[in-house]
Amino acid sequence: MSSNETQKVLMAKIGAAHGVRGEVRVKPFGDDPLSFTDYGVLTTKDGKQSFEVQNARVQKTVVVTKFKEVTDRNRAEELNGVELYIDRDQLPDTEDDEFYYSDLNGLTVQDPGGEAIGKIVAVQDFGAGDLLEIRPKRGKTFYIPFTKDFVPEINLEAGFVTVDLPEDYLSDEKPSDSSGASPDK
């Protein structure tokens, strides 16, 4: 796993300009929509651009934000799509059973017997709860629910998670219909 000191964490993404005074709409990533304003200077992933929040207010699904460096609408329009990052070491320590998604990426996935299944490539949320996207040694990536039942052990220090999958979870076969009902035509 890479060093936390150099790891960047995506906090927000700049969207469209808002008004004529250089404000932009920002899509935050996190539970608290204003949390990206708590970390001081935000940068692009390459560190070439820096932005300091002057003020921000929640408006529906976005945060209308004024950055000190952006003084007019033309500059605001140029920033559409820019992602804003902080260094991983700026984030507060987590409690027991709390994890930053970025810390899970790259961990080895093993079964309860300790045999490697693959690696975590992403944590996704498509609206029904968090899912771990796993790339097996061979084949396509697959998803498992990020719950205590499916993921009973996470060991960040050792670099692995243990998953407990139902026996037929990775099977390509359709489950048999045991209800006796005839299939739809």
Side-chain angles (χ1 to χ4, degrees), residues 84-143:
L84 303 172
Y85 292 82
I86 63 169
D87 290 335
R88 168 61 178 87
D89 61 358
Q90 289 180 262
L91 293 172
D93 291 335
T94 58
E95 300 292 325
D96 289 343
D97 288 335
E98 280 186 337
F99 307 95
Y100 290 115
Y101 291 164
S102 61
D103 292 343
L104 299 174
N105 290 335
L107 294 182
T108 299
V109 178
Q110 66 184 31
D111 65 17
E115 186 172 332
I117 296 172
K119 292 204 177 282
I120 297 174
V121 293
V123 181
Q124 306 284 357
D125 185 351
F126 301 114
D130 295 332
L131 299 170
L132 296 180
E133 183 176 0
I134 299 170
R135 178 171 313 285
K137 293 176 185 176
R138 293 186 319 183
K140 296 179 181 180
T141 64
F142 63 93
Y143 297 96

Side-chain angles (χ1 to χ4, degrees), residues 12-14 22 24 26 36-55 65-71 75-86 90:
K13 183 176 182 179
I14 298 175
V24 292
V26 173
F36 73 94
T37 66
D38 296 337
Y39 296 98
V41 176
L42 302 158
T43 65
T44 53
K45 191 166 192 174
D46 62 10
K48 292 182 179 179
Q49 294 185 71
S50 298
F51 302 92
E52 188 174 349
V53 176
Q54 186 171 325
N55 59 50
T65 306
K66 175 73 170 125
F67 294 106
K68 289 183 180 178
E69 300 78 10
V70 182
T71 57
R75 177 67 177 130
E77 288 174 347
E78 293 171 3
L79 298 176
N80 194 350
V82 170
E83 294 179 330
L84 303 172
Y85 292 82
I86 63 169
Q90 289 180 262

